[in-house]
């Protein structure tokens, strides 16, 4: 387990971050009018495997744990092939100047140097700052159903209940929601931020309804709606970032936001538990 904390935890987590952010940012280089539906299609893949893998992994685990990790590693390695088609169309930040007009190093040159690494401009954008802090504050309860739903349902309905289907329901409707709400968000009369706020309110309401559910069909209905609005939230992260800061700042805007996600998404389920 200690080795897995390093490999499957830190290394896989870090690699996933390096793969996930560019896959969203690159879309803004190629699409504008249909950026919502494009994001929905791209992110729907994770929902597909949320449904499929529970059927595949038990068979692999019956053979060996080593084979299971080898298969998962092979699937993840396909990302290296996919990334070969990434061809950024928007120029990166200009190179830093090593000396100023007087030929001396200065604070300005230092700022230029760090400006290549950190995009300070996005933090001067009030809309982005408000959005970047508001979203993580809403995520303390977001990951709770994913973590505790299976155990909670068994406590309510009994250990013999096939609770794994609930996570698959969330995954299925999340994929559908990403495509549907991605398409809706591309309508010129739709405010994407308001649409994302509606998704958060809906996820919160259905999560609270879990505590009064007393039979399996109700749990399934709630899981389906949680997944649907989860798809709405996920599909709009990239388009909203592009709307607020533009394609040139989207990379760090999305990256910083996802970094801030980790705190509530880690602490929320623990506190709820």
């Amino acid at each position: 387990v200690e080795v897995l904390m390093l490999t499957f935890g830190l290394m896989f987590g870090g690699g996933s971050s390096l793969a996930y952010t560019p896959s969203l940012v690159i879309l803004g280089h190629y699409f504008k009018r249909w950026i919502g539906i494009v994001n929905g299609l791209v992110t729907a893949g994770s929902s597909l495997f949320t449904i499929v893998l529970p059927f595949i992994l038990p068979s692999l685990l019956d053979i060996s744990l080593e084979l299971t990790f080898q298969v998962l590693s092979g699937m993840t390695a396909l990302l290296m092939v996919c990334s070969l088609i990434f061809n950024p169309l928007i120029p990166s930040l200009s190179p830093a100047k090593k000396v100023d007009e007087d030929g001396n190093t200065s604070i300005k040159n230092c700022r230029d140097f760090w400006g290549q690494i950190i995009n300070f401009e996005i933090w001067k954008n009030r809309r982005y700052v408000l959005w970047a802090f508001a979203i993580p504050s809403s995520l303390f309860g977001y990951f709770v159903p994913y973590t505790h739903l299976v155990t909670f349902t068994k406590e309510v309905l009994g250990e013999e209940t096939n609770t794994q289907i609930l996570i698959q329901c969330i995954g299925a409707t999340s994929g559908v929601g990403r495509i549907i709400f991605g398409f809706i968000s591309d309508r010129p009369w739709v405010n994407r931020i308001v649409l994302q706020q509606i998704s958060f309110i809906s996820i919160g309401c259905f999560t609270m309804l879990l505590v009064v559910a007393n039979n399996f069909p109700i749990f399934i209905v709630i899981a389906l709606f949680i997944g649907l609005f989860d798809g709405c939230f996920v599909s709009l992260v990239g388009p909203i970032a592009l709307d607020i800061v533009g394609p040139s700042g989207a990379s760090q805007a999305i990256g910083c936001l996802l970094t801030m996600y980790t705190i509530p998404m880690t602490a929320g389920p623990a506190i709820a538990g």
Side-chain angles (χ1 to χ4, degrees), residues 22 40 42 45 58 75 84 151 169 182 208 212 229:
V42 168
M75 293 171 61
L84 294 175
T151 304
C169 287
M208 288 189 289
V212 297
F229 289 104

Side-chain angles (χ1 to χ4, degrees), residues 13-53:
S16 298
S17 300
L18 293 173
Y20 185 71
T21 304
S23 68
L24 294 182
V25 174
I26 196 68
L27 302 178
H29 291 229
Y30 287 85
F31 302 93
K32 185 175 181 180
R33 175 67 181 87
W34 302 105
I35 188 65
I37 185 64
V38 168
N39 268 269
L41 290 170
V42 168
T43 56
S46 60
S47 298
L48 175 64
F49 282 95
T50 301
I51 303 170
V52 174
L53 284 180

